[in-house]
Amino acid sequence: MTLEALRKRLSEVDRELIGLVAARQQIVAEIGAHKIQNSVATRDYEREREVLKSAHDQATQLGLEPGLAEQIMRLLIRSSLTQQEQTRVAAQTSGAGKRVLIIGGAGKMGAWFGRFLASQGFAVQVADPSDLPSPFPRTTSWATSQLDHDVIVVATPMKVAAQVLLELAERRPRGLIVDIGSLKSPLRPGLKKLVEAGCKVTSIHPMFGPDTRLLSGRHVVFCEVGVPEATREARALFVSTMAEQLEMSLDEHDRLMAYVLGLSHALNLAFFTALAESGELVPRLQKMSSTTFDEQLKVASLVATDNPHLYFEIQSLNDYGTESLQALRSAAERIQRLVESGNESGFVELMAAGRRYLESRT
């Protein structure tokens, strides 16, 4: 057969594949509806293992790379879970007839919450002075609002959120007030004022980005500030999802974020800064790169293209932030001393200690 004829056959197979995926998704929708009607959990890990094992075995029999088959099935499973989770959120709505105001709703996370709450039946309004587009009715200033909403979400940058919370305390809105700040240290005065004003307020931190569609395997942190009823209402917003809900104090949250966010960000900042100041161009380094370098470069590239103002706030506004930065500096200096002194046994023990620590997570 000619190359053109072979490509034509390949295109036919591709079309059949897409058709089969569409047929599979239709069955997934029916399964999702059945699960909702019969109060069955969205995710079934045993069933997922069966599907992956079946794909592995069939691929082996057909002479196909099993890893490729498993990778395809994992992608399809994830797509199926996303569809089922979104269907369940819409079906088990808690927002019908209720109104929500998202302050900073045109920003990335504000927009995510807008879509998420709209899918639950909430009537969403956005208050945002920026020129960013939003599909929801909006006002440039929340201060002109009557604040008679059932839920108010504060999704502004943290420095702005700190002031917004203080001003909300003066207005004493009746609805649930929720901030979604990555840190709680700068928000503490405003949260305290809201509690003192008798407002129904709680603080949460969605541990995922604005491009997230599936919440299975994702975490949402809830920080109790003295109004248990508010925390219960906030948790209820996520009850129909597969997100894992964690609860902790404001102090514990920021102490952990110093490492989860602060340390990981600083590490990548140091990595691409060292590269940039080395005089070596990335394309040249990539020609002889290793697996470790490639993976680190991917993560560092994501950090480098993210919001620098947010990253600075995460480093500078955390009451516990200097602890993790000092730990990073001390670790780098220790490695340098071990190498410069030729202390191989100390270097080996350093890696062994790290391996033991990382293995302890399992």
Side-chain angles (χ1 to χ4, degrees):
M1 296 183 68
T2 64
L3 178 59
E4 183 179 349
L6 289 169
R7 285 175 172 169
K8 183 178 179 180
R9 283 183 57 193
L10 184 60
S11 295
E12 291 173 355
V13 172
D14 289 343
R15 283 192 291 271
E16 291 176 9
L17 279 173
I18 298 301
L20 289 171
V21 170
R24 189 182 195 279
Q25 290 300 91
Q26 181 58 46
I27 297 172
V28 164
E30 295 175 13
I31 291 174
H34 178 85
K35 287 179 177 178
I36 294 171
Q37 292 168 5
N38 294 276
S39 301
V40 177
T42 301
R43 192 157 197 177
D44 184 340
Y45 289 96
E46 182 59 35
R47 173 58 181 162
E48 289 180 29
R49 283 191 287 269
E50 291 175 1
V51 170
L52 292 173
K53 184 179 185 305
S54 176
H56 181 281
D57 293 345
Q58 184 181 7
T60 301
Q61 293 172 4
L62 296 173
L64 179 67
E65 171 59 41
L68 174 60
E70 289 186 28
Q71 186 177 359
I72 292 171
M73 293 311 300
R74 287 184 188 279
L75 183 61
L76 289 173
I77 288 172
R78 184 171 184 82
S79 177
S80 299
L81 289 171
T82 299
Q83 179 176 331
Q84 290 185 35
E85 182 178 64
Q86 291 174 347
T87 300
R88 186 180 291 265
V89 168
Q92 298 178 342
T93 175
S94 60
K98 297 180 181 179
R99 300 167 61 235
V100 59
L101 172 67
I102 305 180
I103 302 175
K108 291 182 178 180
M109 284 307 296
W112 186 94
F113 268 88
R115 294 189 299 270
F116 176 66
L117 294 173
S119 73
Q120 296 187 36
F122 284 94
V124 176
Q125 181 184 8
V126 166
D128 199 308
S130 73
D131 295 328
L132 296 171
S134 174
F136 304 109
R138 69 188 293 172
T139 180
T140 56
S141 174
W142 66 270
T144 60
S145 169
Q146 294 296 317
L147 298 184
D148 54 353
H149 304 77
D150 297 278
V151 180
I152 297 175
V153 179
V154 180
T156 63
M158 285 179 282
K159 286 183 179 179
V160 177
Q163 185 61 35
V164 168
L165 294 175
L166 288 170
E167 293 177 13
L168 282 173
E170 298 294 325
R171 300 279 299 274
R172 300 186 179 187
R174 63 173 178 80
L176 172 67
I177 302 170
V178 181
D179 84 83
I180 62 169
S182 299
L183 295 176
K184 306 309 176 184
S185 295
L187 308 181
R188 192 185 301 274
L191 293 169
K192 182 180 179 182
K193 284 288 186 182
L194 284 163
V195 174
E196 292 173 349
C199 295
K200 193 163 52 174
V201 59
T202 193
S203 186
I204 74 172
H205 183 186
M207 298 295 294
F208 50 83
D211 295 329
T212 300
R213 296 180 64 235
L214 175 65
L215 292 184
S216 178
R218 304 294 186 174
H219 299 84
V220 182
V221 180
F222 297 82
C223 296
E224 172 64 58
V225 297
V227 190
E229 177 190 358
T231 303
R232 285 195 297 271
E233 286 192 27
R235 294 183 72 140
L237 296 174
F238 293 88
V239 73
S240 58
T241 74
M242 292 179 283
E244 183 175 347
Q245 299 188 13
L246 306 174
E247 194 163 336
M248 62 185 65
S249 69
L250 298 174
D251 283 325
E252 183 181 13
H253 173 273
D254 279 11
R255 184 176 59 80
L256 293 176
M257 287 307 108
Y259 290 92
V260 173
L261 296 181
L263 178 61
S264 59
H265 291 175
L267 180 63
N268 283 285
L269 284 164
F271 177 77
F272 65 64
T273 299
L275 288 182
E277 296 178 354
S278 71
E280 298 293 346
L281 298 178
V282 170
R284 178 177 172 82
L285 294 172
Q286 286 180 310
K287 288 181 179 179
M288 56 190 72
S289 64
S290 65
T291 302
T292 303
F293 179 86
D294 288 343
E295 292 302 314
Q296 185 63 53
L297 190 62
K298 287 179 185 177
V299 178
S301 297
L302 292 174
V303 170
T305 56
D306 215 329
N307 185 341
H309 305 288
L310 172 62
Y311 276 56
F312 180 73
E313 287 188 334
I314 289 172
Q315 296 294 338
S316 64
L317 298 181
N318 191 344
D319 290 345
Y320 299 87
T322 56
E323 179 181 323
S324 59
L325 289 177
Q326 182 58 48
L328 177 60
R329 178 179 178 178
S330 297
E333 290 176 346
R334 183 179 177 188
I335 294 169
Q336 183 177 11
R337 287 195 303 270
L338 290 170
V339 172
E340 290 179 348
S341 64
N343 188 349
E344 182 175 356
S345 61
F347 190 92
V348 170
E349 175 52 34
L350 184 75
M351 290 193 65
R355 183 168 59 251
R356 288 192 299 269
Y357 170 77
L358 294 173
E359 288 174 348
S360 68
R361 63 182 175 176
T362 60

